[in-house]
Amino acid sequence: MPVEVGGTLVHAHLHPVGASWSLAWTNAGHPPPLVRLPDGAVRQLDEHGILLHHRLGPFPREDQHTVLEPGSTLLLYTDGLVERRGRSIDAAIARAARLLAEAAGTLPLPELLEHLADSVSPGDSDDDVVLLALRVGEAEPAPR
C-alpha cells in the first residue's frame, strides 16, 4: 500500500466447509485473534507476518489457515481491549482467553462481548474497544 502511515491489522476470510468454517487470515502486528475450541480450550492465532509500515517496503504476505469446528467461537478485537500504558499486553490477552474459555460456552454472544469488554477493559482505555465474535453452530439436519 503506497501510504506513509503505520498500523496493525488482521485480515480474515471465512468459507463454509460442511458444518465447519475454514478461516484464512493474515496478521500485521495486531493482537492475535482468539478461538475457543469445542472442548473449551482457547487458542491464540498468533502466527503473523511482517509489520505494516511504509518504511518496511512491500513484502509478500502469507495467509494462515485453521478450521473452526461446530461449537467454536472466534473472537476478533481491537488493541484497545488489551493495551494499557504500563501494563502487560500478554497478561491482558491471557485474561481475555481465560474469560473466553469460561464464558463462551454458556453466554449468548452479546452478553459474552459485554462480559469480555467489562472484565478486560473496564472503562479505562484511551483507545477504541471493539469486539467481534462468531460462533459456529451445529449443522442443520438435512431435509427428509
Side-chain angles (χ1 to χ4, degrees):
M1 295 175 24
V3 294
E4 293 193 10
V5 297
T8 67
L9 67 85
V10 170
H11 183 89
H13 290 269
L14 287 163
H15 301 282
V17 180
S20 302
W21 286 82
S22 172
L23 172 67
W25 81 95
T26 187
N27 186 339
H30 199 71
L34 301 174
V35 176
R36 183 186 185 272
L37 304 172
D39 67 2
V42 173
R43 176 178 167 216
Q44 289 187 32
L45 302 182
D46 53 7
E47 302 87 351
H48 62 85
I50 192 119
L51 298 177
L52 179 66
H53 194 275
H54 68 280
R55 291 195 179 120
L56 296 175
F59 293 102
R61 304 225 39 93
E62 289 186 28
D63 284 346
Q64 307 299 322
H65 299 273
T66 194
V67 174
L68 304 175
E69 300 292 339
S72 299
T73 301
L74 171 65
L75 177 67
L76 302 167
Y77 54 95
T78 59
D79 54 356
L81 179 71
V82 294
E83 271 188 340
R84 298 290 178 286
R85 191 177 314 272
R87 297 187 199 164
S88 167
I89 189 171
D90 293 332
I93 293 169
R95 178 165 172 69
R98 278 192 310 277
L99 292 167
L100 183 63
E102 294 166 0
T106 59
L107 291 177
L109 288 181
E111 285 87 355
L112 172 65
L113 296 177
E114 285 184 36
H115 176 65
L116 288 167
D118 292 344
S119 300
V120 179
S121 179
D124 65 348
S125 179
D126 293 332
D127 201 353
D128 63 323
V129 176
V130 180
L131 294 93
L132 173 69
L134 172 128
R135 182 173 290 146
V136 180
E138 298 297 325
E140 296 275 331
R144 294 182 180 205

